[in-house]
């Protein structure tokens, strides 16, 4: 079960951040070390009509990685925040529909996490994959 601190970080500092609000991110599923964020398509995030800008996909991957990293934080950790230290993205096909980014922490220490993220469209096609390394501050 996700701690109250982790839930706060996910809801307020990732999905509820100014960027999260601008992209209309929502948490679809949240467990320790596994998160799914949803993002609807809109004209505001398109690079050309009907195609989501690649930078927006990178931001979605970054946000999902941050949320997954936060999901394992507990009050006893005395964590004060976090930041992405490395982000890599591979694009496979144009993103043209609402998206879901599923992030899974594949390695966790007290101060860092490595998260694999898969972004799929509404037809279930993988449009991008990414890896996010996050630093947890204490």
């Amino acid at each position: 079960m996700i701690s109250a601190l982790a839930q706060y970080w996910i809801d307020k500092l990732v999905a509820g951040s100014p960027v999260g609000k601008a992209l209309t991110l929502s948490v679809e599923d949240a467990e320790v070390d596994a998160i799914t964020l949803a993002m609807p398509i809109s004209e505001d995030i398109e690079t050309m009509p009907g195609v989501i800008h690649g930078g927006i996909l990178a931001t979605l991957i970054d946000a999902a990685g941050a949320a997954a990293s936060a999901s394992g934080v507990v009050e006893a950790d005395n964590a004060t925040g976090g930041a992405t230290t490395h982000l890599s993205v591979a694009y496979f096909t144009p993103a043209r529909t609402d998206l879901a980014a599923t992030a899974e922490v594949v390695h966790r220490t007290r101060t860092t996490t490595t998260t694999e993220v898969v972004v799929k469209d509404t037809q279930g096609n993988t449009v991008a994959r990414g890896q996010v390394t996050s630093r947890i501050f204490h």
Side-chain angles (χ1 to χ4, degrees), residues 9 73-74 76-82 109-112 135-138:
W9 283 12
V73 173
V74 296
D77 290 337
N78 294 316
T80 59
T109 69
R110 185 172 183 272
T111 58
T112 61
R135 174 91 163 96
I136 301 169
F137 302 119
H138 298 274

Side-chain angles (χ1 to χ4, degrees), residues 48-127:
M48 55 187 287
V51 178
I52 297 173
H53 188 279
I56 298 297
L57 289 174
T59 301
L60 175 60
I61 289 169
D62 185 38
S69 180
S71 71
V73 173
V74 296
E75 285 77 0
D77 290 337
N78 294 316
T80 59
T84 299
T85 61
H86 181 78
L87 172 67
S88 65
V89 179
Y91 302 97
F92 301 121
T93 189
R96 300 178 186 275
T97 68
D98 295 350
L99 300 173
T102 301
E104 181 180 347
V105 174
V106 295
H107 181 74
R108 178 182 291 279
T109 69
R110 185 172 183 272
T111 58
T112 61
T113 58
T114 301
T115 305
E116 300 286 338
V117 183
V118 178
V119 179
K120 294 191 176 199
D121 64 16
T122 56
Q123 288 77 41
N125 300 310
T126 300
V127 298

